[in-house]
Amino acid sequence: MTNQTIYTNSLDLETLKRWMVQQLAPVIHLPHDQVDTSASFLALGLDSVAAVGLTADLEAFLGRTIPPTVVADYPTIDELAGFLIDSGMTATVSPSIEPAKPASPEARPTPPWFKDLAKRGERLREAGDLFEPVLTDVDGCWANVNGRRLLLLSSYSYLGLNGHPRINAAAKKATETIGTGLHAARLIGGTTEIHRDLERTLASFKRTEDALLFSTGYMTNIMTIVSLTSEGDWVIGDAFNHACLVDGGAFSNAKFVTFAHSNMQALETQLQRAGSARKMVVVDGVFSMDGDIAPLPQIVDLCRRYGALLMVDEAHSIGVLGRTGRGVTEHFGLDSTDVDIHMGTLSKSFPSMGGYVAGSRELVAALKYSARGWIFSSSMPAPLIAAAKAAIEVLIDEPQRVERLWTILRRYVDGLRGQGFPVENAQTPIVPIMCKEDRQAFELASGLREEGILVYPIVYPAVPANQPRVRTTVTAAMSDEEVDIAVAALGRVGRRVGLTTI
Ligand SMILES: Cc1ncc(COP(=O)(O)O)c(C=O)c1O
C-alpha cells in the first residue's frame, strides 16, 4: 500500500474548480482570488505550452487520460470543470487544495513506466553497436564508423545522388537566400515560392494535377489516412505495409483491417466484407523489408470494382521503378489516374527529407484544410526543398542513373547466386538475405561489419518472428568493383554462419 490516498467519486465541481485555480494562479501570475473562472484561458494569458501542462496536470490529478484538445474545447475553468465532472471523472489522488510546490529533482524519481518502456530496447542494446552506429563522413557508398571506412550495403540513396554538386549548390543557394529555417507553418508564413515550385514539380513528375508536401514521409501517411477517413469507413492494408501506413490506419477513426501479403483473393474478401462502407486500400509500391513489387494492376482493378480509393506508398519505388524512375505506375504502364493517392518520400532516392502526396486538385485541397500535421506543423526548411527539387531535375536530365541502378542490381544478384544465396526472386534493389534464426542474422551483420560492410539485421517485430534477415540494398553510387567486394564478403561470412555452403 502506498501512502497515496485513493479517492473515488469524491470530486465535486467546486473542489475541481478550486484545484484548477490553484494550479493556474502561479502560472498566469495572479492571486487566487483574481482568477476569473468564467474567463477564457486565452484571456487569462494561458499560452499553448501552459495549456498542455494543465492537461498533463489534470491527467495526473484525475489519474486518467483526457482528450488532448480538452482545454481548447472547454475554454474556461467553469466549462472544463463542468465537462470533467459531467463525464464522470473522479480523483484517484487526494484532491488537496494546497498550492502545488515545485518538486526538487531528487523528489521526482523516473516514473516506473519509463523503465518498463526502456526495457523494450534491451534486445537492441544486446546487439551492441550493430544498431545506430555513428557515421562521421558519408561519401558516395562509403561512410566512416569509429574511424573505419565501411561500404554502405544498406543505403536508400538508390540513385547515388547524395552530394551531387547541382543538388548541393541548390541547397546552398536556398540557405543563403531564405535561411535554414522558416519558423512558421505553411498557412502562416511558411510557404515560399520554392515550396510551391517543388509541389508543382512533383505533380508534373507524377503526372498528377497537384501535390502537397509534409515534413516527413511518416507524417504524410498518418495524416493522409487519418484526414481522409472517418468513423464507419474501412482502411484495408497489405499485411507487409510499412509501419506508418499501419499507424495511419490504427490512428484513424475508420475500421482498419489487413489482407495477406499481395494476396488478391484476401483483398477481395476484405472489400466484400466492407460492404457499402467507404473504402480506402493502402499498399506499398515496393515493400521495404522484402523488396517485392505490389501487384498494382490487379489492385487497381479490384479497387475499381469495389469503389475503393487507392493509396500507394512509393518510398522505395520513386526513382527506382519505371524507365525514367517515375515509379510503380510507370513500371506497370498504368495511368496516373489509376491511383488516387500517390504518396512518396524525399528521403530515399532523393537526398533530402519530407514526404508528398500527389493526386487530384480536390485531394490536395481536402488534405490542406484537414490534415492537422500539415496545418499545425512547421514548414520544411528551404535547403531541403531546394535539394529535393534539384534532385528531381537531375533525375529527369540523367535517366541513365535508373538504368545504372538496375545494372548494378543484376551484377549483385548474379554474384550472390554464384555464392549460393537463394536470391533469384529479387525484384528491386532491396535484397533481403533470409536467415534461419535471429542469432544468425546478428552474426551475419556483425561478420560483415568486421569485413568492412555496413548492413543491419532485421528481426521481429519489424518482420514476422520466423523470418529474420539481413536487408541489403544496392545503389547507383556503387562501382562494379564495390559490388564484387560486397558479394565476396557476403560469401565468406555467409559460409561461416552456415547460410551457404558454396
Ligand atoms: C515504405 C515507407 N514509407 C514511408 C517511410 C517514412 O518515410 P520518412 O523516412 O521520410 O519519414 C518509410 C521510411 O523508411 C518507408 O520505408
Side-chain angles (χ1 to χ4, degrees):
M1 188 70 190
T2 68
N3 60 6
Q4 191 181 59
T5 313
I6 307 292
Y7 287 78
T8 50
N9 298 322
S10 61
L11 189 63
D12 59 46
L13 184 64
E14 283 317 308
T15 311
L16 180 55
K17 278 167 46 174
R18 250 181 303 153
W19 179 87
M20 285 163 72
V21 166
Q22 282 159 1
Q23 297 299 305
L24 283 187
V27 178
I28 56 179
H29 308 291
L30 280 181
H32 293 188
D33 57 0
Q34 284 184 28
V35 177
D36 179 356
T37 58
S38 66
S40 76
F41 293 121
L42 201 62
L44 288 174
L46 198 72
D47 63 21
S48 55
V49 176
V52 172
L54 175 64
T55 314
D57 289 345
L58 270 168
E59 287 190 327
F61 178 55
L62 297 167
R64 59 201 62 194
T65 312
I66 57 176
T69 55
V70 90
V71 174
D73 296 341
Y74 300 92
T76 67
I77 291 179
D78 289 343
E79 287 173 76
L80 181 53
F83 161 74
L84 292 169
I85 293 293
D86 287 351
S87 48
M89 290 291 178
T90 55
T92 54
V93 292
S94 166
S96 147
I97 53 170
E98 289 304 308
K101 292 189 189 70
S104 68
E106 311 80 77
R108 290 178 65 93
T110 310
W113 70 87
F114 283 14
K115 292 196 178 112
D116 293 343
L117 289 171
K119 271 196 199 132
R120 291 191 192 168
E122 264 165 24
R123 286 189 75 216
L124 290 187
R125 281 196 294 279
E126 278 163 22
D129 70 351
L130 268 186
F131 294 104
E132 213 183 346
V134 179
L135 281 60
T136 47
D137 287 293
V138 181
D139 174 18
C141 56
W142 294 89
N144 276 354
V145 177
N146 290 336
R148 283 182 67 215
R149 199 155 171 264
L150 300 184
L151 177 62
L152 301 178
L153 194 63
S154 44
S155 166
Y156 292 143
S157 180
Y158 295 119
L159 297 171
L161 288 176
N162 197 23
H164 190 290
R166 190 163 147 196
I167 300 171
N168 282 3
K172 191 161 173 248
K173 184 167 168 225
T175 307
E176 280 159 5
T177 52
I178 301 175
T180 55
L182 275 154
H183 313 281
R186 286 285 301 269
L187 290 174
I188 50 170
T191 297
T192 67
E193 181 50 30
I194 61 170
H195 287 76
R196 282 305 294 142
D197 210 13
L198 174 57
E199 286 169 339
R200 283 190 293 265
T201 303
L202 281 162
S204 132
F205 189 66
K206 285 303 300 175
R207 306 197 200 294
T208 60
E209 286 177 357
D210 205 350
L212 190 68
L213 291 165
F214 289 83
S215 48
T216 68
Y218 183 89
M219 167 93 90
T220 314
N221 278 340
I222 305 274
M223 279 302 122
T224 304
I225 298 172
V226 166
S227 316
L228 297 180
T229 61
S230 48
E231 207 174 332
D233 298 346
W234 279 51
V235 174
I236 305 173
D238 188 289
F240 280 15
N241 273 352
H242 188 265
C244 49
L245 289 173
V246 175
D247 291 352
F251 297 165
S252 73
N253 287 321
K255 183 175 171 63
F256 173 50
V257 296
T258 57
F259 61 94
H261 178 49
S262 289
N263 182 321
M264 293 302 99
Q265 183 58 55
L267 171 57
E268 183 158 15
T269 302
Q270 295 292 31
L271 287 164
Q272 284 166 348
R273 284 184 63 220
S276 59
R278 287 196 310 201
K279 302 172 260 301
M280 180 172 180
V281 171
V282 291
V283 293
D284 278 334
V286 167
F287 290 89
S288 58
M289 296 294 159
D290 294 75
D292 54 332
I293 303 171
L296 203 56
Q298 291 94 308
I299 296 174
V300 167
D301 186 46
L302 280 172
C303 286
R304 281 235 179 90
R305 279 175 37 214
Y306 288 89
L309 272 183
L310 175 56
M311 169 171 179
V312 181
D313 177 336
E314 296 231 55
H316 299 276
S317 52
I318 195 78
V320 171
L321 292 185
R323 196 182 52 80
T324 61
R326 281 178 162 76
V328 67
T329 38
E330 185 183 24
H331 172 81
F332 283 113
L334 294 168
D335 196 88
S336 72
T337 55
D338 288 330
V339 171
D340 302 288
I341 304 160
H342 302 258
M343 177 271 167
T345 61
L346 304 172
S347 58
K348 294 173 174 43
S349 285
F350 307 129
S352 183
M353 184 75 202
Y356 66 84
V357 163
S360 66
R361 260 182 222 109
E362 285 78 17
L363 167 71
V364 168
L367 283 173
K368 260 190 173 178
Y369 301 111
S370 60
R372 294 170 68 83
W374 188 83
I375 300 169
F376 294 109
S377 187
S378 292
S379 168
M380 280 174 67
L384 294 179
I385 297 285
K389 177 158 186 283
I392 298 170
E393 286 164 357
V394 171
L395 172 55
I396 291 169
D397 290 350
E398 301 173 17
Q400 64 275 18
R401 283 180 177 269
V402 184
E403 204 182 315
R404 172 71 190 152
L405 172 63
W406 286 84
T407 307
I408 287 287
L409 175 63
R410 273 192 297 277
R411 187 178 185 95
Y412 181 59
V413 170
D414 287 349
L416 287 184
R417 288 176 63 190
Q419 297 282 356
F421 288 98
V423 289
E424 45 283 336
N425 293 330
Q427 294 178 14
T428 68
I430 300 174
V431 183
I433 309 290
M434 304 306 288
C435 297
K436 297 186 194 83
E437 51 190 357
D438 290 4
R439 191 186 44 80
Q440 198 174 38
F442 286 119
E443 283 173 8
L444 180 62
S446 69
L448 284 167
R449 190 77 62 88
E450 282 157 26
E451 293 263 354
I453 313 279
L454 191 58
V455 287
Y456 305 95
I458 311 276
V459 295
Y460 179 83
V463 289
N466 60 349
Q467 295 178 19
R469 65 198 67 180
V470 165
R471 185 180 46 173
T472 66
T473 50
V474 289
T475 73
M478 297 172 84
S479 66
D480 289 359
E481 294 68 39
E482 286 159 342
V483 172
D484 298 344
I485 291 172
V487 166
L490 265 156
R492 280 191 297 277
V493 184
R495 274 188 292 282
R496 212 164 61 225
V497 303
L499 265 178
T500 162
T501 49
I502 292 181

